Amino acid sequence: KQEVTQIPAALSVPEGENLVLNCSFTDSAIYNLQWFRQDPGKGLTSLLLIQSSQREQTSGRLNASLDKSSGRSTLYIAASQPGDSATYLCAVPSGSARQLTFGSGTQLTVLP
Amino acid sequence: ETGVTQTPRHLVMGMTNKKSLKCEQHLGHNAMYWYKQSAKKPLELMFVYSLEERVENNSVPSRFSPECPNSSHLFLHLHTLQPEDSALYLCASSQESVRVGYGYTFGSGTRLTVV
């Protein structure tokens, strides 16, 4: 059974810092990995989707990497801003690939 | 607008009420999902519909009843709920294919409170 772990559970940084969020998964036979952002009480916004054949994906100040063999992904946020404050979730398809298994998320607070 | 629209955004219902949650996707996807997010817990898959046919039901209580009349619409019918069913209910869609590799798009969710 696939398990997804995210470290740290919470992170508070001053504005302007570069930061790294970590995601690990137990079953490396994944099709892809997706990073989401969730604001309090809201739905999920997709940030980046990395296919199993890719090493990384970039979107603006965000860069996500994937190392299937070690079962790890990182989300790098450059020059953090208060507007980046949210919970960040990683998820991988598992089973028949119809089910997304989520981590518990990293709650990020960027202080002005 | 994410391409997946959920209504209502908020719902308060008594334990004896019957209500329905609605989800509509405008992305041309062929699979739709219901997820439940309770406080301090990871998201849990409730139901999967692929090509309008229910393919997985993760042991969800019968007081939750899904309906998928076509590939663009998904409903979750609720009856005789318990206070512990209070949560954020999220709808998602994706495009299933032989080459699995497409991402999921989520709606904004319905915040349900059972009193």
Side-chain angles (χ1 to χ4, degrees), chain A residues 16-19 37 48 57-64 75-85 88 108 110:
Chain A
E17 253 190 38
N18 302 324
L19 54 99
R37 167 187 172 138
L48 289 162
Q57 277 281 4
T58 298
S59 176
R61 295 182 293 108
L62 305 179
N63 176 278
L75 179 67
Y76 175 83
I77 302 177
S80 58
Q81 303 171 357
D84 295 330
S85 298
Y88 290 80
L108 173 66
V110 180

Side-chain angles (χ1 to χ4, degrees), chain A residues 18-35:
Chain A
N18 302 324
L19 54 99
V20 174
L21 308 182
N22 297 292
C23 172
S24 61
F25 44 93
T26 53
D27 184 352
S28 61
I30 61 170
Y31 298 104
N32 56 50
L33 183 143
Q34 198 165 359
W35 282 94

Side-chain angles (χ1 to χ4, degrees), chain B residues 8-96:
Chain B
R9 296 294 299 271
H10 301 273
L11 178 63
V12 179
M13 60 185 288
M15 289 191 283
T16 58
N17 290 160
K18 289 185 181 180
K19 296 285 184 183
S20 296
L21 310 185
K22 180 182 176 183
C23 176
E24 183 175 359
Q25 59 99 358
H26 318 277
L27 301 167
H29 288 167
N30 60 9
M32 297 185 76
Y33 312 80
W34 280 115
Y35 278 84
K36 176 183 178 182
Q37 187 177 34
S38 303
K40 309 294 183 185
K41 288 186 179 180
L43 278 86
E44 304 168 80
L45 177 67
M46 299 178 72
F47 298 103
V48 179
Y49 276 84
S50 176
L51 300 172
E52 302 156 42
E53 181 182 336
R54 188 163 78 190
V55 293
E56 288 189 36
N57 170 356
N58 279 10
S59 304
V60 177
S62 60
R63 57 186 183 269
F64 295 92
S65 174
E67 178 189 1
C68 186
N70 55 62
S71 59
S72 299
H73 294 85
L74 184 65
F75 295 89
L76 187 62
H77 303 300
L78 316 171
H79 65 95
T80 329
L81 293 192
Q82 305 297 312
E84 60 265 29
D85 296 322
S86 299
L88 181 67
Y89 288 84
L90 291 162
C91 174
S93 70
S94 70
Q95 181 64 22
E96 285 201 331

Side-chain angles (χ1 to χ4, degrees), chain A residues 4-111:
Chain A
V4 180
T5 304
Q6 290 188 248
I7 294 173
L11 181 62
S12 183
V13 300
E15 182 176 4
E17 253 190 38
N18 302 324
L19 54 99
V20 174
L21 308 182
N22 297 292
C23 172
S24 61
F25 44 93
T26 53
D27 184 352
S28 61
I30 61 170
Y31 298 104
N32 56 50
L33 183 143
Q34 198 165 359
W35 282 94
F36 295 91
R37 167 187 172 138
Q38 185 174 32
D39 292 291
K42 302 289 178 65
L44 276 64
T45 300
S46 180
L47 298 174
L48 289 162
L49 171 69
I50 313 177
Q51 303 295 343
S52 59
S53 58
Q54 296 176 316
R55 284 280 184 161
E56 62 179 57
Q57 277 281 4
T58 298
S59 176
R61 295 182 293 108
L62 305 179
N63 176 278
S65 67
L66 175 64
D67 184 343
K68 271 186 60 176
S69 60
S70 66
R72 278 188 267 182
S73 176
T74 61
L75 179 67
Y76 175 83
I77 302 177
S80 58
Q81 303 171 357
D84 295 330
S85 298
T87 296
Y88 290 80
L89 297 156
C90 68
V92 294
S94 53
S96 62
R98 290 182 171 127
Q99 174 167 334
L100 275 183
T101 300
F102 283 86
S104 297
T106 293
Q107 186 174 353
L108 173 66
T109 303
V110 180
L111 303 169

